[in-house]
Amino acid sequence: MSDLVLASGSRKFFRDFARLATPYWTEKGRWRPRLLTGLLGLLVVCQIGLVLRLNVWSADLFDALERRSTEHAMAQIGIFVLILLGTMAANMGHLAVRRHLQLDWRRWLTGRVIGRWMEASRHFQAGLIPGDHANPDGRIAEDIRVMTEAAVDLASTLFYCLLLLVTFVGILWSLSGWITVAGIEVPGHLVLLAFLYAGIGAVVAFVLGRPLVRTTDVRQTREANFRYDLVRARENAEAIALARAEFAQRGRLSTGFETIALAWKDQSVGLARLIAFSSGYVALAAVFPILVGTPRFLEGALTLGRLMQSAQAFQQVTAALSWPVDNLPRIAEWRASVERVLALEEAVQVVALESARVGDTAINMDRAPGPWLGVSDLWVAEPDGTALLNNLTLRIEPGEHVLVDGDPEAAAAFFRVVAGIWPWGYGRVDLPADALMVAIGRRLFLPQGTLRNALALPEVAGEADDGAILDALSAVRLEWLSVRLDHSEDWAEVLNGADLQRLAFARLLLLRPDWVVLGDATDALDPVSADALLRLIATRLPQTALVVIGQHPGSAEAFDRRLTLDRSKAGEVLLNKVYARRQAAREPRRRPLKVLDWLRKGYPADGPSTTHG
């Protein structure tokens, strides 16, 4: 039963990978990927053809040498030059086309994943649901790179090795002839020996490489511990200096490095054993078929050229058979990267599905028939489907100032519902008809660039003259930024929390919206400053409705109304399908192609090739 489950998991893995990746080739008008792929396959065929011609050339050369024919030997030298030039051109073309295909596929897939991830607040919502999709930046930047590069590399080399195997098995079979073993005529003995030789090599390399798992893990653990000690020393630099503890800390760091040295030595011993076998294996692969064929050569059944040709064909067959062994770490790395990208895609699909709900079981965002902002019969759930707010109704008229506080998590969720980025719950949200509404959270988003654009945003920066910008900065007590309007900085990092919140109010003065919804947007300010900024909005924008949701350090008397939110009873399930989906997401996931994890332990990624150098 478990084998069936694992097989099903592997099939699902490949189906999901195909669903994500193959539209790059199959979508209408995608002629470039098809052309690049076809050209890459054609170049692989050319490479195999050149290897085959080189194999035939070696037979002709040694036959000419055996006959001591200077004319034929010189002719073979000229042929070799042509083969060499052809090989150089084919390999260079293969590299250029392969890298072009890898980059083009990565560009397409990166744009596709970012497009889905950054659409309709899914990047925010996906971070709130359980599952193995953390660190989306690494999945997009690194895992998509590994996924596309490794897939093209693996497919190209596999195609090459399959053609190599098919081509040279036939040649090796024809060159093997017949031998008599215990009175029985056996055909193609070199083919059988090539398979046996490659199989024994794989098993021995696996046995020798397996102990490297422990030594590699130990070394990586000690490397991580050493890095942690260095980071801790940096973070506690002042405390160490005040305690005059440099000597003790230096000794601890030296001891930590010595543990790495011991692990390094253990790993070196294991690598030495493996590379000793690898070196002998490669050297013997070149001589072994010659030794086997020597009796037939001495009997006159083989020419010298045919003997050398069979030796080369033997090496090509064993090299082709070594593809799974040599590429196990790469396949495992590719599998892991694909899983990580698929997990991110799955999370985005889940929140997109939940955001698309409509009807009585969804939060319906509609334009109100009149000039008001409100919610009616609104039930808000946690991202896991459990209740957070029950049956809330609120209506805000133009020019009103309303404070909504109470339970911090409930208030934060309510703000996100009104802002349109929280899909979990059901009820109705009426947005003001034909009016500009601006929602600002605790931390203002400031794009990198000049302060002028960061303050007013590109869509209105051209409409705001310097006088209006300077006036807005002065009104929120940020006059000191006036001389830096055209400086390009990462302003979200340059400014502290209080200054960012003041800058948010300066942006409001420039945008002059009809409706403002603030979520904890004054919590970094002192009470006096928070109240002063609210009075500023009331004075400068008297027709603007202001809703402050969450913490406000100032006085509640600055508002026309106040609503205190109470959190729902813990554990009550509001969205049954969402709750069931979250429970399923917490179950451990089966890894597809699990055999790779077991086999890979015998072939560490930093170890040498076991079959050819």
Side-chain angles (χ1 to χ4, degrees):
M1 182 67 179
S2 60
D3 293 338
L4 292 176
V5 173
L6 288 174
S8 175
S10 297
R11 286 195 298 270
K12 182 180 184 302
F13 169 78
F14 284 112
R15 284 198 305 268
D16 290 344
F17 170 71
R19 173 185 51 77
L20 176 65
T22 55
Y24 171 69
W25 287 272
T26 58
E27 284 181 346
K28 188 176 180 180
R30 302 290 302 172
W31 59 268
R32 181 191 296 272
R34 300 168 194 167
L35 177 63
L36 289 173
T37 305
L39 184 57
L40 188 66
L42 181 62
L43 287 168
V44 170
V45 173
C46 290
Q47 288 176 316
I48 293 296
L50 288 165
V51 173
L52 178 60
R53 185 63 186 88
L54 184 64
N55 181 256
V56 174
W57 171 86
S58 68
D60 294 340
L61 175 66
F62 282 100
D63 282 344
L65 294 176
E66 186 179 22
R67 295 194 302 269
R68 291 178 171 79
S69 172
T70 304
E71 180 182 352
H72 287 89
M74 295 303 295
Q76 294 306 315
I77 292 175
I79 293 173
F80 175 76
V81 171
L82 295 177
I83 295 173
L84 179 63
L85 293 176
T87 301
M88 293 169 62
N91 290 346
M92 183 175 65
H94 183 275
L95 175 67
V97 173
R98 174 168 51 84
R99 288 181 64 83
H100 194 152
L101 179 61
Q102 288 171 325
L103 180 61
D104 196 59
W105 187 15
R106 181 187 176 188
R107 178 188 292 116
W108 175 87
L109 187 57
T110 299
R112 188 182 183 93
V113 173
I114 289 179
R116 292 176 177 177
W117 178 60
M118 290 297 293
E119 182 180 355
S121 307
R122 294 173 189 170
H123 56 97
F124 165 71
Q125 296 161 3
L128 301 176
I129 66 174
D132 181 22
H133 53 265
N135 304 318
D137 52 332
R139 295 168 192 263
I140 294 172
E142 181 64 16
D143 287 311
I144 288 180
R145 180 191 68 79
V146 173
M147 170 181 164
T148 52
E149 289 183 7
V152 174
D153 284 341
L154 290 170
S156 176
T157 56
L158 178 60
F159 182 49
Y160 178 89
C161 287
L162 287 175
L163 288 181
L164 197 68
L165 186 62
V166 170
T167 302
F168 280 93
V169 159
I171 293 174
L172 193 59
W173 185 278
S174 64
L175 292 173
S176 298
W178 292 75
I179 62 171
T180 303
V181 179
I184 301 175
E185 293 290 326
V186 179
H189 66 285
L190 286 178
V191 175
L192 300 178
L193 287 176
F195 276 83
L196 184 63
Y197 188 87
I200 292 175
V203 171
V204 174
F206 180 81
V207 172
L208 292 177
R210 199 167 182 82
L212 280 172
V213 178
R214 181 186 59 80
T215 56
T216 301
D217 288 345
V218 169
R219 180 194 160 193
Q220 290 174 344
T221 299
R222 292 178 179 176
E223 295 274 11
N225 291 339
F226 184 61
R227 287 193 300 270
Y228 172 78
D229 287 341
L230 289 171
V231 171
R232 191 167 181 272
R234 176 177 57 81
E235 292 176 346
N236 294 279
E238 182 180 2
I240 292 172
L242 291 172
R244 301 291 189 269
E246 289 89 351
F247 179 79
Q249 190 64 26
R250 188 166 61 246
R252 176 179 176 83
L253 293 174
S254 297
T255 302
F257 185 80
E258 287 306 314
T259 63
I260 295 176
L262 292 174
W264 179 277
K265 291 177 181 178
D266 291 340
Q267 188 183 38
S268 297
V269 172
L271 286 171
R273 286 197 297 264
L274 187 59
I275 202 169
F277 167 74
S278 175
S279 302
Y281 181 93
V282 172
L284 183 59
V287 177
F288 180 72
I290 297 177
L291 298 177
V292 172
T294 296
R296 297 182 66 224
F297 170 72
L298 296 177
E299 293 172 358
L302 277 180
T303 65
L304 179 61
R306 294 298 181 183
L307 178 63
M308 301 308 296
Q309 185 183 13
S310 65
Q312 281 194 3
F314 184 91
Q315 288 180 284
Q316 298 293 355
V317 170
T318 55
L321 291 172
S322 73
W323 184 89
V325 173
D326 287 344
N327 288 282
L328 272 174
R330 185 72 162 157
I331 296 171
E333 181 187 25
W334 169 80
R335 187 275 312 270
S337 291
V338 172
E339 278 191 282
R340 287 169 58 81
V341 177
L342 289 176
L344 177 61
E345 274 281 289
E346 181 181 347
V348 170
Q349 289 175 359
V350 166
V351 295
L353 177 66
E354 293 172 356
S355 298
R357 291 179 301 113
V358 294
D360 295 338
T361 62
I363 295 177
N364 297 287
M365 309 287 291
D366 297 310
R367 286 292 176 182
W372 71 77
L373 171 66
V375 298
S376 57
D377 299 325
L378 179 66
W379 298 67
V380 182
E382 295 268 22
D384 66 357
T386 57
L388 189 56
L389 272 175
N390 286 352
N391 200 17
L392 181 64
T393 297
L394 175 66
R395 178 165 167 167
I396 301 165
E397 302 293 340
E400 271 197 294
H401 288 195
V402 179
L403 174 63
V404 181
D405 59 5
D407 182 84
E409 292 187 15
F414 178 58
F415 164 72
R416 291 163 179 163
V417 167
V418 176
I421 63 173
W422 191 273
W424 300 291
Y426 51 84
R428 181 182 177 88
V429 177
D430 289 322
L431 302 176
D434 300 324
L436 175 61
M437 187 183 87
V438 175
I440 298 177
R442 172 180 283 115
R443 191 168 178 86
L444 179 68
F445 170 69
L446 295 175
Q448 290 185 351
T450 65
L451 180 60
R452 186 190 306 276
N453 286 343
L455 174 63
L457 291 181
E459 58 265 27
V460 296
E463 302 174 8
D465 57 31
D466 284 358
I469 294 176
L470 295 175
D471 178 65
L473 289 175
S474 177
V476 299
R477 295 174 58 188
L478 290 176
E479 303 93 336
W480 58 277
L481 288 175
S482 300
V483 297
R484 303 178 67 179
L485 279 179
D486 294 309
H487 289 194
S488 292
E489 303 278 357
D490 185 356
W491 293 104
E493 297 296 328
V494 171
L495 302 178
N496 61 35
D499 287 341
L500 286 173
Q501 293 188 346
R502 289 180 182 277
L503 203 62
F505 279 84
R507 179 182 284 178
L508 292 175
L509 294 179
L510 293 172
L511 292 175
R512 303 186 67 82
D514 302 296
W515 300 82
V516 176
V517 181
L518 303 179
D520 290 332
T522 58
D523 65 347
L525 300 165
D526 62 87
V528 174
S529 297
D531 284 340
L533 289 175
L534 293 186
R535 286 195 301 271
L536 181 65
I537 296 297
T539 303
R540 297 285 189 96
L541 307 173
Q543 300 302 316
T544 296
L546 178 66
V547 186
V548 177
I549 304 175
Q551 301 178 37
H552 175 66
S555 172
E557 296 178 0
F559 298 90
D560 301 317
R561 282 190 289 155
R562 180 179 185 179
L563 174 64
T564 301
L565 301 177
D566 294 321
R567 184 171 182 150
S568 301
K569 180 181 178 182
E572 178 186 358
V573 177
L574 195 62
L575 302 173
N576 292 309
K577 289 184 178 179
V578 171
Y579 182 78
R581 189 179 290 126
R582 299 296 184 268
Q583 296 303 111
R586 291 187 173 91
E587 294 293 326
R589 298 169 64 96
R590 290 185 179 273
R591 290 179 65 99
L593 307 175
K594 196 172 181 180
V595 67
L596 290 177
D597 295 321
W598 184 81
L599 287 174
R600 190 186 182 193
K601 293 179 180 179
Y603 303 92
D606 57 350
S609 169
T610 58
T611 51
H612 47 277

